[in-house]
Amino acid sequence: MKKRIFMLAALAAGLVLCLAACGENNREPITITLWHVYGGEVNSPMNTLVDEFNRTVGQEQGIRVRVDSVSNSGVIHENVLAAAYKDPGAPALPDLFVSYPKTVLALPDENILADYHDYFTDEELDSYLPEFIEEGTVDDRLVILPLAKSTEILFVNKTAFDRFSAETGAALDELSTWEGLYAMAERYAEWSGGKSFFVHDYHFNYFQVGVESLGESFFDKDGIAFGPAFTRAWKPYARAALTGGLWLGSGYATEPLRTGDVIASVASSASVLYYSDVVTDENNRTEKVEIISLPCPIFEGGEKLVMQRGTGICTVKSTPEREKACMTFLQWLTEPKRNVDFATSLGYMPVTKEGFDRDLPAAIQTLTDPMYASLYEAFLKTRQDYTFYVPPQREDYLSLETRFEKTVHLRLAAGRAQYQQQGAAALDTLMETTLEELRKSYDR
C-alpha cells in the first residue's frame, strides 16, 4: 500500500514538473526590436548574429530579437527623433537603436533611454575602453553602449607612392607628422605636374583634434576659438591646398584614391569597405595596387590624439522584463571574442580591452585580405600609442561642423584659383588672407 502511494506521488510530481516544463517551453518569447546600420538587409553581419542569438541563448531564455530596420545613421537619427516627438505617421520607437550622441542630445526627454549603469556592474563596464564609455555618457548617465567603433586612419596607395619614392627619395615615415605629410604633398604636386597627393575626409576633425592635441581648446562658448594653435594647423594645410597638393574636390576621400587623383587619404577606418585594390583613372585605365594603412599623423611635439568615431547602441525604456532581455542580448553581443569577429567583418574596432589586447592580434592572423590585415595592424599601433579624442557634447556641434566644412572648402578653393592666376609670389599673402576671411565669417 505504501509502495503504491509512493509511486502515485512520484507520478503526480513528475506530471507537475512536466506541465511546468511544457508551460515554460510554450511561453511566448519576449520580442525586442532593433534598428541598426551594419550591412544591408540581405548581407548583414549583425543580422547573422541576431539569427545565431535567437537560435541559442534567445531560445533558451525566451528572447527573440527582430531587426526592423537596416539603414544609415542619418536615417535612423531622423526616424528616432520623429518617433520620440510623436510626429504624425512616425513609427514607434524600437527597443534598441544605434546612435551618435547628437541623437541623444536632440531627444525631448533623456529619460526615454535606459541607463546602462542600472544593468551592468562597474566591473563589466570597466572591461570596455574608457574613452568609448565616456562618449556614451550624457549627463552622468550611460545611455550609449559601445558596440563597434572606428577611428581615423591614413590610407596610402603604396604602389603609386613607391614610384614617387624611387625618383625623389620620399619615405613613408615622413607621413607620421602633419608637417611632413604636407611638405611631401607640395613635392608630389611639383613632381607629378600638378596632381594632388592627399585628401582629408573631414576638415573639421583635422582642425579640432589638431588644435586640442597642441594643448588649446578648439571651441569656445560661442563656437570656434581661432587661437594660435589653429593658426599653426592652418598654415601647412592651406599651403598644401593652395599649391595643389591637397585635394579640394567634392565627395568622400575614397573616390579620389580609387581614381588615382590622390595617393593618400585620412578617412574613417570603416572606409576600408569602400576602397579597392584596383585604381581606375579618368581614361578608364586600371592598375592593381597595394593599399596600406598607417596611424593618423600628428603635429610635431603634439599629443598623439586621434578621433574616435562610430555609433553605439541605445535601449529605450519599457518594462523591466523587456529591458533585461535587451541587456541579455547586448552582453552576449559584446562578449570579447564575438565582438572582435563582428568588428573585423566590417572594418571596425572592438570595444573591450580584452578584445583589443587578446583576441584582435589572433584575429588578424586569420585575415586573408592584405588591406584589412594592414588596417588592423594600424589599429593595434593606434591603441598602443594614441589617446582616443572624445568630442564635446554640444547642442550646436552638428551645425558648427556643417558650416565649418563648407566654409573652409570654399575659402581654400577660391584661394587655389587665385594662386593659379597670381603665381607662387602670392602664396604667403593668400595663406594669410584665406585665414582672415575664415575668421571674419565667424565674427559675432
Side-chain angles (χ1 to χ4, degrees):
M1 184 69 176
K2 288 182 180 180
K3 183 176 180 182
R4 184 164 57 182
I5 293 174
F6 176 79
M7 291 178 65
L8 288 171
L11 286 171
L15 181 61
V16 169
L17 289 173
C18 178
L19 289 172
C22 292
E24 183 72 22
N25 289 338
N26 291 330
R27 186 183 66 186
E28 190 69 24
I30 295 173
T31 299
I32 56 176
T33 54
L34 168 66
W35 294 355
H36 74 79
V37 298
Y38 304 108
E41 292 282 359
V42 177
N43 185 20
S44 165
M46 173 62 83
N47 289 1
T48 300
L49 282 174
V50 166
D51 290 342
E52 181 185 344
F53 175 84
N54 287 341
R55 290 194 312 268
T56 57
V57 174
Q59 185 172 346
E60 293 168 4
Q61 299 193 24
I63 302 168
R64 179 174 176 266
V65 180
R66 187 181 75 218
V67 176
D68 279 358
S69 175
V70 182
S71 186
N72 61 59
S73 59
V75 170
I76 289 180
H77 170 82
E78 293 171 2
N79 288 344
V80 164
L81 295 186
Y85 282 94
K86 296 181 172 26
D87 291 350
L93 279 169
D95 294 286
L96 298 164
F97 64 88
V98 299
S99 176
Y100 286 106
K102 68 181 182 183
T103 304
V104 173
L105 292 170
L107 290 172
D109 181 1
E110 65 177 15
N111 289 316
I112 288 174
L113 302 178
D115 183 349
Y116 289 108
H117 286 294
D118 295 336
Y119 286 97
F120 287 72
T121 66
D122 290 343
E123 183 179 359
E124 287 173 327
L125 294 177
D126 284 344
S127 68
Y128 294 84
L129 269 68
E131 300 96 328
F132 297 166
I133 292 293
E134 181 183 351
E135 189 190 36
T137 302
V138 179
D139 295 331
D140 297 323
R141 300 175 70 243
L142 179 59
V143 291
I144 308 175
L145 188 74
L147 180 58
K149 301 292 285 186
S150 58
T151 187
E152 290 183 347
I153 289 290
L154 175 63
F155 295 96
V156 180
N157 175 343
K158 189 173 182 297
T159 304
F161 184 90
D162 286 345
R163 285 196 292 267
F164 171 54
S165 175
E167 293 191 24
T168 65
L172 283 173
D173 59 12
E174 295 178 64
L175 303 179
S176 63
T177 67
W178 289 119
E179 291 89 347
L181 185 149
Y182 290 128
M184 187 178 293
E186 286 189 68
R187 289 158 55 198
Y188 182 82
E190 183 178 353
W191 172 81
S192 64
K195 293 189 69 173
S196 296
F197 174 80
F198 171 71
V199 56
H200 200 304
D201 228 350
Y202 309 96
H203 302 292
F204 192 67
N205 290 355
Y206 163 74
F207 284 100
Q208 180 181 180
V209 176
V211 169
E212 296 284 345
S213 75
L214 292 170
E216 288 186 17
S217 176
F218 177 74
F219 299 95
D220 61 20
K221 61 183 180 65
D222 296 314
I224 296 171
F226 293 96
F230 188 97
T231 301
R232 178 176 170 185
W234 176 265
K235 286 182 176 179
Y237 194 81
R239 185 182 179 95
L242 296 170
T243 56
L246 175 66
W247 171 264
L248 293 174
S250 60
Y252 289 106
T254 50
E255 187 60 25
L257 202 71
R258 288 190 302 186
T259 58
D261 289 304
V262 302
I263 65 170
S265 71
V266 163
S268 166
S269 52
S271 297
V272 72
L273 294 168
Y274 306 101
Y275 283 113
S276 171
D277 60 0
V278 175
V279 166
T280 304
D281 68 16
E282 59 184 3
N283 298 313
N284 210 33
R285 291 175 302 204
T286 62
E287 180 186 23
K288 181 86 169 177
V289 299
E290 179 186 4
I291 303 292
I292 63 169
S293 299
L294 299 170
C296 197
I298 62 167
F299 283 102
E300 293 176 0
E303 182 183 358
K304 286 190 172 183
L305 204 62
V306 66
M307 178 66 77
Q308 64 161 301
R309 303 178 58 86
T311 56
I313 194 159
C314 297
T315 298
V316 175
K317 280 188 175 180
S318 52
T319 65
E321 293 77 19
R322 293 181 71 81
E323 290 175 29
K324 185 178 179 182
C326 290
M327 302 308 158
T328 299
F329 173 62
L330 293 178
Q331 288 169 332
W332 178 87
L333 194 60
T334 56
E335 183 277 326
K337 177 64 168 59
R338 184 173 294 108
N339 185 239
V340 166
D341 291 342
F342 171 65
T344 53
S345 70
L346 291 162
Y348 284 90
M349 296 184 291
V351 295
T352 66
K353 300 171 188 173
E354 187 175 313
F356 234 122
D357 300 336
R358 184 197 67 186
D359 298 312
L360 185 56
I364 292 174
Q365 303 304 314
T366 68
L367 296 174
T368 57
D369 187 330
M371 189 161 53
Y372 275 74
S374 177
L375 172 66
Y376 280 94
E377 291 290 352
F379 274 153
L380 291 179
K381 293 175 184 175
T382 299
R383 155 81 167 132
Q384 177 181 324
D385 299 334
Y386 286 65
T387 298
F388 289 110
Y389 171 75
V390 181
Q393 294 174 352
R394 299 175 58 116
E395 291 186 359
D396 62 351
Y397 185 91
L398 182 58
S399 62
L400 285 173
E401 179 183 37
T402 303
R403 180 184 175 190
F404 189 88
E405 289 284 340
K406 182 178 179 180
T407 306
V408 168
H409 184 272
L410 287 174
R411 299 299 176 193
L412 289 177
R416 168 67 177 155
Q418 289 178 276
Y419 175 83
Q420 289 175 311
Q421 292 173 355
Q422 300 172 19
L427 179 58
D428 290 339
T429 301
L430 287 170
M431 288 171 60
E432 295 293 335
T433 57
T434 50
L435 176 55
E436 187 59 28
E437 288 167 357
L438 178 63
R439 284 192 178 122
K440 284 181 179 179
S441 70
Y442 280 86
D443 282 348
R444 296 174 282 270

